[in-house]
Amino acid sequence: MNRKCVLIFAGADPSGGAGLQADIETIATLGAHPLSVVTALTVQDNDRVFSVHPVPELLLKQQAQALINKIEIAAVKIGIVGNRANAEAIAEMVKMLKARQVDLPVVLDPVLASGNGDALAGENTLDILAPLIAVATLITPNLPEASALCGGDRRLDSQAEALLMACPNVLIKGGHGPEVDKVINRWFAEGISRTWTWPRLPGTFHGTGCTLASAIAALLANGQSMADAIDLAQSYTQEALESSYSIADGQRIPNRSVSLLEDGA
């Protein structure tokens, strides 16, 4: 039986905690097959990003085109892309895929910085994201990212309104919120505003956003509705964080081998 395939555009993380490595593990665990296009090579550990080196645009295109020519794509997940040229190349390929499949789900994790605040691109990151937001089905910013994408606006409703003008679904993650005992995530779409509240776990984690976005992409690829994919992906991510492990001092690694498949996902 063929598995549904998720085309990933993301940077490689040598620590195995975030980026492509997190995406691959998450998508495979949730029953889809990851197709990984390297957008950037990074120098990082489980805490800090020391440098980001975008791959050449032509090489990015060649990686993706070889896959697209042969394999049916059921969903796309986009993480860091490194620079504007790569972003534009990815956007053009997504448009080509959508010309074949109008309802192709595209999940964009608009990463502006690492969890420790390290920059993930040498250019203006907001400028890099513009062509990608235009082709995304769902964008998953955390609170600082949502504010930055909306010109510094910190009002959640107006952030959602502004982002919905560019993308049909917005999931604003509350991990950076002021609540000390809980995390509040909010999904907005036309006529929809839904909230989830999760217990805030002690410690910090490497690759949480990658895990959640990839889980949503995998579930969408396997035929879940947007509502169910967002719901189940949060449950999966919460369980991965609850059973996280340490590889060194600092941020913990989500245990992405946990699975919701036996629960009907």
Side-chain angles (χ1 to χ4, degrees), residues 92-129:
E92 286 305 312
M93 285 183 280
V94 169
K95 289 176 185 176
M96 180 180 66
L97 288 169
K98 284 193 168 187
R100 303 178 192 172
Q101 182 184 339
V102 176
D103 60 349
L104 177 73
V106 178
V107 179
L108 171 63
D109 184 14
V111 187
L112 301 183
S114 73
N116 202 49
D118 301 309
L120 293 172
E123 304 174 19
N124 184 315
T125 314
L126 296 177
D127 183 60
I128 291 173
L129 288 173

mmCIF file of all heavy atoms in Angstrom, residues 92-129:
data_model
loop_
_atom_site.group_PDB
_atom_site.id
_atom_site.type_symbol
_atom_site.label_atom_id
_atom_site.label_comp_id
_atom_site.label_asym_id
_atom_site.label_seq_id
_atom_site.Cartn_x
_atom_site.Cartn_y
_atom_site.Cartn_z
ATOM 1 N N GLU A 92 6.876 29.226 -6.138
ATOM 2 C CA GLU A 92 6.563 28.873 -7.526
ATOM 3 C C GLU A 92 6.274 27.381 -7.660
ATOM 4 O O GLU A 92 5.365 26.974 -8.395
ATOM 5 C CB GLU A 92 7.719 29.281 -8.446
ATOM 6 C CG GLU A 92 7.816 30.774 -8.677
ATOM 7 C CD GLU A 92 6.519 31.371 -9.213
ATOM 8 O OE1 GLU A 92 5.957 30.808 -10.181
ATOM 9 O OE2 GLU A 92 6.058 32.380 -8.652
ATOM 10 N N MET A 93 7.036 26.548 -6.963
ATOM 11 C CA MET A 93 6.777 25.105 -7.028
ATOM 12 C C MET A 93 5.452 24.734 -6.378
ATOM 13 O O MET A 93 4.738 23.848 -6.849
ATOM 14 C CB MET A 93 7.946 24.353 -6.401
ATOM 15 C CG MET A 93 9.167 24.325 -7.300
ATOM 16 S SD MET A 93 10.547 23.379 -6.649
ATOM 17 C CE MET A 93 11.243 24.566 -5.508
ATOM 18 N N VAL A 94 5.119 25.411 -5.293
ATOM 19 C CA VAL A 94 3.824 25.158 -4.658
ATOM 20 C C VAL A 94 2.690 25.566 -5.590
ATOM 21 O O VAL A 94 1.676 24.853 -5.715
ATOM 22 C CB VAL A 94 3.729 25.905 -3.312
ATOM 23 C CG1 VAL A 94 2.301 25.864 -2.778
ATOM 24 C CG2 VAL A 94 4.685 25.299 -2.294
ATOM 25 N N LYS A 95 2.840 26.686 -6.268
ATOM 26 C CA LYS A 95 1.817 27.100 -7.234
ATOM 27 C C LYS A 95 1.643 26.056 -8.328
ATOM 28 O O LYS A 95 0.523 25.766 -8.766
ATOM 29 C CB LYS A 95 2.188 28.454 -7.841
ATOM 30 C CG LYS A 95 2.068 29.622 -6.891
ATOM 31 C CD LYS A 95 2.556 30.915 -7.547
ATOM 32 C CE LYS A 95 2.554 32.086 -6.590
ATOM 33 N NZ LYS A 95 3.114 33.317 -7.204
ATOM 34 N N MET A 96 2.749 25.491 -8.790
ATOM 35 C CA MET A 96 2.686 24.445 -9.803
ATOM 36 C C MET A 96 1.943 23.219 -9.284
ATOM 37 O O MET A 96 1.095 22.636 -9.970
ATOM 38 C CB MET A 96 4.100 24.061 -10.235
ATOM 39 C CG MET A 96 4.158 22.982 -11.296
ATOM 40 S SD MET A 96 5.858 22.588 -11.758
ATOM 41 C CE MET A 96 6.457 21.864 -10.218
ATOM 42 N N LEU A 97 2.235 22.835 -8.043
ATOM 43 C CA LEU A 97 1.538 21.701 -7.448
ATOM 44 C C LEU A 97 0.054 21.985 -7.267
ATOM 45 O O LEU A 97 -0.798 21.119 -7.492
ATOM 46 C CB LEU A 97 2.172 21.354 -6.095
ATOM 47 C CG LEU A 97 3.549 20.687 -6.139
ATOM 48 C CD1 LEU A 97 4.170 20.657 -4.750
ATOM 49 C CD2 LEU A 97 3.446 19.280 -6.702
ATOM 50 N N LYS A 98 -0.270 23.216 -6.876
ATOM 51 C CA LYS A 98 -1.679 23.572 -6.671
ATOM 52 C C LYS A 98 -2.439 23.653 -7.988
ATOM 53 O O LYS A 98 -3.673 23.498 -8.013
ATOM 54 C CB LYS A 98 -1.783 24.896 -5.907
ATOM 55 C CG LYS A 98 -1.485 24.758 -4.422
ATOM 56 C CD LYS A 98 -1.903 26.008 -3.666
ATOM 57 C CE LYS A 98 -1.890 25.782 -2.175
ATOM 58 N NZ LYS A 98 -2.450 26.912 -1.423
ATOM 59 N N ALA A 99 -1.733 23.898 -9.077
ATOM 60 C CA ALA A 99 -2.401 23.879 -10.382
ATOM 61 C C ALA A 99 -2.881 22.470 -10.715
ATOM 62 O O ALA A 99 -3.885 22.284 -11.400
ATOM 63 C CB ALA A 99 -1.444 24.386 -11.460
ATOM 64 N N ARG A 100 -2.173 21.466 -10.189
ATOM 65 C CA ARG A 100 -2.573 20.068 -10.385
ATOM 66 C C ARG A 100 -3.614 19.645 -9.357
ATOM 67 O O ARG A 100 -4.483 18.825 -9.626
ATOM 68 C CB ARG A 100 -1.358 19.147 -10.244
ATOM 69 C CG ARG A 100 -0.189 19.429 -11.169
ATOM 70 C CD ARG A 100 0.930 18.445 -10.847
ATOM 71 N NE ARG A 100 2.186 18.804 -11.485
ATOM 72 C CZ ARG A 100 3.338 18.196 -11.229
ATOM 73 N NH1 ARG A 100 3.376 17.221 -10.325
ATOM 74 N NH2 ARG A 100 4.443 18.574 -11.851
ATOM 75 N N GLN A 101 -3.478 20.156 -8.133
ATOM 76 C CA GLN A 101 -4.351 19.774 -7.021
ATOM 77 C C GLN A 101 -4.724 21.033 -6.248
ATOM 78 O O GLN A 101 -3.993 21.500 -5.392
ATOM 79 C CB GLN A 101 -3.624 18.777 -6.111
ATOM 80 C CG GLN A 101 -4.472 18.289 -4.949
ATOM 81 C CD GLN A 101 -3.695 17.369 -4.014
ATOM 82 O OE1 GLN A 101 -2.682 16.793 -4.402
ATOM 83 N NE2 GLN A 101 -4.165 17.236 -2.780
ATOM 84 N N VAL A 102 -5.871 21.564 -6.553
ATOM 85 C CA VAL A 102 -6.289 22.862 -6.016
ATOM 86 C C VAL A 102 -6.346 22.854 -4.494
ATOM 87 O O VAL A 102 -6.013 23.850 -3.843
ATOM 88 C CB VAL A 102 -7.658 23.270 -6.607
ATOM 89 C CG1 VAL A 102 -8.151 24.571 -5.978
ATOM 90 C CG2 VAL A 102 -7.576 23.402 -8.109
ATOM 91 N N ASP A 103 -6.753 21.732 -3.914
ATOM 92 C CA ASP A 103 -6.936 21.671 -2.462
ATOM 93 C C ASP A 103 -5.705 21.147 -1.732
ATOM 94 O O ASP A 103 -5.804 20.723 -0.573
ATOM 95 C CB ASP A 103 -8.153 20.812 -2.119
ATOM 96 C CG ASP A 103 -8.028 19.376 -2.626
ATOM 97 O OD1 ASP A 103 -7.094 19.099 -3.427
ATOM 98 O OD2 ASP A 103 -8.853 18.523 -2.230
ATOM 99 N N LEU A 104 -4.534 21.184 -2.353
ATOM 100 C CA LEU A 104 -3.312 20.713 -1.708
ATOM 101 C C LEU A 104 -3.060 21.497 -0.420
ATOM 102 O O LEU A 104 -2.917 22.727 -0.449
ATOM 103 C CB LEU A 104 -2.121 20.883 -2.649
ATOM 104 C CG LEU A 104 -0.754 20.505 -2.072
ATOM 105 C CD1 LEU A 104 -0.629 18.992 -1.947
ATOM 106 C CD2 LEU A 104 0.375 21.065 -2.939
ATOM 107 N N PRO A 105 -2.962 20.820 0.734
ATOM 108 C CA PRO A 105 -2.678 21.545 1.985
ATOM 109 C C PRO A 105 -1.206 21.935 2.077
ATOM 110 O O PRO A 105 -0.319 21.123 1.814
ATOM 111 C CB PRO A 105 -3.065 20.554 3.079
ATOM 112 C CG PRO A 105 -3.037 19.212 2.440
ATOM 113 C CD PRO A 105 -3.272 19.401 0.977
ATOM 114 N N VAL A 106 -0.966 23.190 2.470
ATOM 115 C CA VAL A 106 0.388 23.714 2.618
ATOM 116 C C VAL A 106 0.489 24.347 4.007
ATOM 117 O O VAL A 106 -0.195 25.334 4.291
ATOM 118 C CB VAL A 106 0.717 24.753 1.532
ATOM 119 C CG1 VAL A 106 2.120 25.315 1.737
ATOM 120 C CG2 VAL A 106 0.573 24.142 0.138
ATOM 121 N N VAL A 107 1.321 23.774 4.859
ATOM 122 C CA VAL A 107 1.477 24.240 6.239
ATOM 123 C C VAL A 107 2.788 25.015 6.341
ATOM 124 O O VAL A 107 3.859 24.474 6.061
ATOM 125 C CB VAL A 107 1.472 23.059 7.232
ATOM 126 C CG1 VAL A 107 1.656 23.572 8.660
ATOM 127 C CG2 VAL A 107 0.180 22.257 7.108
ATOM 128 N N LEU A 108 2.703 26.275 6.747
ATOM 129 C CA LEU A 108 3.872 27.131 6.888
ATOM 130 C C LEU A 108 4.124 27.431 8.357
ATOM 131 O O LEU A 108 3.273 28.015 9.036
ATOM 132 C CB LEU A 108 3.670 28.440 6.116
ATOM 133 C CG LEU A 108 4.729 29.530 6.338
ATOM 134 C CD1 LEU A 108 6.105 29.075 5.877
ATOM 135 C CD2 LEU A 108 4.320 30.824 5.627
ATOM 136 N N ASP A 109 5.300 27.030 8.836
ATOM 137 C CA ASP A 109 5.753 27.411 10.172
ATOM 138 C C ASP A 109 6.660 28.626 9.995
ATOM 139 O O ASP A 109 7.810 28.478 9.579
ATOM 140 C CB ASP A 109 6.514 26.246 10.809
ATOM 141 C CG ASP A 109 6.945 26.524 12.242
ATOM 142 O OD1 ASP A 109 6.428 27.493 12.840
ATOM 143 O OD2 ASP A 109 7.799 25.772 12.758
ATOM 144 N N PRO A 110 6.170 29.831 10.289
ATOM 145 C CA PRO A 110 6.923 31.055 9.956
ATOM 146 C C PRO A 110 7.998 31.368 10.993
ATOM 147 O O PRO A 110 7.885 32.314 11.770
ATOM 148 C CB PRO A 110 5.836 32.121 9.939
ATOM 149 C CG PRO A 110 4.872 31.660 10.989
ATOM 150 C CD PRO A 110 4.880 30.138 10.921
ATOM 151 N N VAL A 111 9.032 30.561 11.009
ATOM 152 C CA VAL A 111 10.063 30.669 12.044
ATOM 153 C C VAL A 111 10.897 31.926 11.819
ATOM 154 O O VAL A 111 11.573 32.054 10.803
ATOM 155 C CB VAL A 111 10.974 29.434 12.044
ATOM 156 C CG1 VAL A 111 11.920 29.482 13.233
ATOM 157 C CG2 VAL A 111 10.158 28.155 12.063
ATOM 158 N N LEU A 112 10.848 32.855 12.763
ATOM 159 C CA LEU A 112 11.629 34.084 12.669
ATOM 160 C C LEU A 112 12.937 33.984 13.436
ATOM 161 O O LEU A 112 13.900 34.687 13.131
ATOM 162 C CB LEU A 112 10.815 35.266 13.201
ATOM 163 C CG LEU A 112 9.484 35.537 12.485
ATOM 164 C CD1 LEU A 112 8.824 36.784 13.075
ATOM 165 C CD2 LEU A 112 9.680 35.705 10.994
ATOM 166 N N ALA A 113 12.971 33.119 14.451
ATOM 167 C CA ALA A 113 14.183 32.947 15.247
ATOM 168 C C ALA A 113 14.099 31.605 15.950
ATOM 169 O O ALA A 113 13.028 30.997 16.040
ATOM 170 C CB ALA A 113 14.324 34.071 16.271
ATOM 171 N N SER A 114 15.233 31.130 16.436
ATOM 172 C CA SER A 114 15.235 29.903 17.220
ATOM 173 C C SER A 114 14.552 30.154 18.558
ATOM 174 O O SER A 114 14.263 31.295 18.937
ATOM 175 C CB SER A 114 16.678 29.442 17.461
ATOM 176 O OG SER A 114 17.305 30.292 18.406
ATOM 177 N N GLY A 115 14.319 29.067 19.307
ATOM 178 C CA GLY A 115 13.710 29.206 20.626
ATOM 179 C C GLY A 115 14.534 30.056 21.565
ATOM 180 O O GLY A 115 14.010 30.637 22.517
ATOM 181 N N ASN A 116 15.833 30.173 21.283
ATOM 182 C CA ASN A 116 16.722 30.981 22.122
ATOM 183 C C ASN A 116 16.875 32.396 21.595
ATOM 184 O O ASN A 116 17.636 33.195 22.132
ATOM 185 C CB ASN A 116 18.093 30.299 22.219
ATOM 186 C CG ASN A 116 18.873 30.725 23.431
ATOM 187 O OD1 ASN A 116 18.341 30.717 24.539
ATOM 188 N ND2 ASN A 116 20.128 31.101 23.252
ATOM 189 N N GLY A 117 16.156 32.709 20.484
ATOM 190 C CA GLY A 117 16.207 34.048 19.934
ATOM 191 C C GLY A 117 17.247 34.265 18.852
ATOM 192 O O GLY A 117 17.411 35.384 18.357
ATOM 193 N N ASP A 118 17.939 33.203 18.423
ATOM 194 C CA ASP A 118 18.962 33.351 17.389
ATOM 195 C C ASP A 118 18.309 33.513 16.020
ATOM 196 O O ASP A 118 17.370 32.797 15.669
ATOM 197 C CB ASP A 118 19.872 32.121 17.366
ATOM 198 C CG ASP A 118 20.574 31.901 18.701
ATOM 199 O OD1 ASP A 118 21.165 32.872 19.196
ATOM 200 O OD2 ASP A 118 20.518 30.779 19.238
ATOM 201 N N ALA A 119 18.816 34.453 15.230
ATOM 202 C CA ALA A 119 18.282 34.709 13.892
ATOM 203 C C ALA A 119 18.497 33.499 12.996
ATOM 204 O O ALA A 119 19.508 32.808 13.081
ATOM 205 C CB ALA A 119 18.950 35.935 13.281
ATOM 206 N N LEU A 120 17.529 33.256 12.096
ATOM 207 C CA LEU A 120 17.594 32.096 11.210
ATOM 208 C C LEU A 120 17.736 32.480 9.750
ATOM 209 O O LEU A 120 17.537 31.650 8.864
ATOM 210 C CB LEU A 120 16.353 31.224 11.420
ATOM 211 C CG LEU A 120 16.287 30.566 12.804
ATOM 212 C CD1 LEU A 120 14.957 29.885 13.028
ATOM 213 C CD2 LEU A 120 17.424 29.576 12.987
ATOM 214 N N ALA A 121 18.061 33.716 9.483
ATOM 215 C CA ALA A 121 18.321 34.161 8.110
ATOM 216 C C ALA A 121 19.148 35.427 8.162
ATOM 217 O O ALA A 121 19.050 36.211 9.105
ATOM 218 C CB ALA A 121 17.013 34.410 7.350
ATOM 219 N N GLY A 122 19.957 35.633 7.132
ATOM 220 C CA GLY A 122 20.777 36.837 7.079
ATOM 221 C C GLY A 122 20.053 38.024 6.510
ATOM 222 O O GLY A 122 20.531 39.152 6.572
ATOM 223 N N GLU A 123 18.870 37.798 5.945
ATOM 224 C CA GLU A 123 18.075 38.863 5.346
ATOM 225 C C GLU A 123 16.913 39.207 6.277
ATOM 226 O O GLU A 123 16.753 38.625 7.344
ATOM 227 C CB GLU A 123 17.541 38.414 3.980
ATOM 228 C CG GLU A 123 18.621 37.974 3.006
ATOM 229 C CD GLU A 123 18.031 37.410 1.728
ATOM 230 O OE1 GLU A 123 16.848 37.672 1.445
ATOM 231 O OE2 GLU A 123 18.749 36.694 1.016
ATOM 232 N N ASN A 124 16.079 40.138 5.831
ATOM 233 C CA ASN A 124 14.871 40.476 6.566
ATOM 234 C C ASN A 124 13.918 39.283 6.510
ATOM 235 O O ASN A 124 13.390 38.950 5.449
ATOM 236 C CB ASN A 124 14.212 41.719 5.950
ATOM 237 C CG ASN A 124 12.993 42.161 6.738
ATOM 238 O OD1 ASN A 124 12.161 41.349 7.120
ATOM 239 N ND2 ASN A 124 12.883 43.453 6.964
ATOM 240 N N THR A 125 13.709 38.619 7.646
ATOM 241 C CA THR A 125 12.930 37.386 7.656
ATOM 242 C C THR A 125 11.489 37.621 7.239
ATOM 243 O O THR A 125 10.875 36.781 6.575
ATOM 244 C CB THR A 125 12.976 36.739 9.051
ATOM 245 O OG1 THR A 125 14.327 36.742 9.530
ATOM 246 C CG2 THR A 125 12.472 35.323 9.002
ATOM 247 N N LEU A 126 10.917 38.758 7.620
ATOM 248 C CA LEU A 126 9.541 39.051 7.226
ATOM 249 C C LEU A 126 9.412 39.171 5.714
ATOM 250 O O LEU A 126 8.432 38.716 5.118
ATOM 251 C CB LEU A 126 9.073 40.339 7.912
ATOM 252 C CG LEU A 126 8.991 40.296 9.444
ATOM 253 C CD1 LEU A 126 8.578 41.656 9.979
ATOM 254 C CD2 LEU A 126 8.019 39.222 9.895
ATOM 255 N N ASP A 127 10.413 39.768 5.082
ATOM 256 C CA ASP A 127 10.411 39.881 3.623
ATOM 257 C C ASP A 127 10.515 38.505 2.982
ATOM 258 O O ASP A 127 9.874 38.236 1.960
ATOM 259 C CB ASP A 127 11.575 40.768 3.182
ATOM 260 C CG ASP A 127 11.597 40.984 1.673
ATOM 261 O OD1 ASP A 127 10.605 41.526 1.148
ATOM 262 O OD2 ASP A 127 12.594 40.608 1.027
ATOM 263 N N ILE A 128 11.307 37.626 3.582
ATOM 264 C CA ILE A 128 11.444 36.265 3.058
ATOM 265 C C ILE A 128 10.105 35.534 3.084
ATOM 266 O O ILE A 128 9.759 34.799 2.157
ATOM 267 C CB ILE A 128 12.485 35.485 3.885
ATOM 268 C CG1 ILE A 128 13.889 36.042 3.638
ATOM 269 C CG2 ILE A 128 12.449 33.998 3.555
ATOM 270 C CD1 ILE A 128 14.948 35.444 4.543
ATOM 271 N N LEU A 129 9.325 35.742 4.138
ATOM 272 C CA LEU A 129 8.090 34.978 4.321
ATOM 273 C C LEU A 129 6.963 35.383 3.386
ATOM 274 O O LEU A 129 6.054 34.588 3.142
ATOM 275 C CB LEU A 129 7.609 35.124 5.769
ATOM 276 C CG LEU A 129 8.426 34.392 6.832
ATOM 277 C CD1 LEU A 129 7.942 34.776 8.219
ATOM 278 C CD2 LEU A 129 8.336 32.887 6.635
#
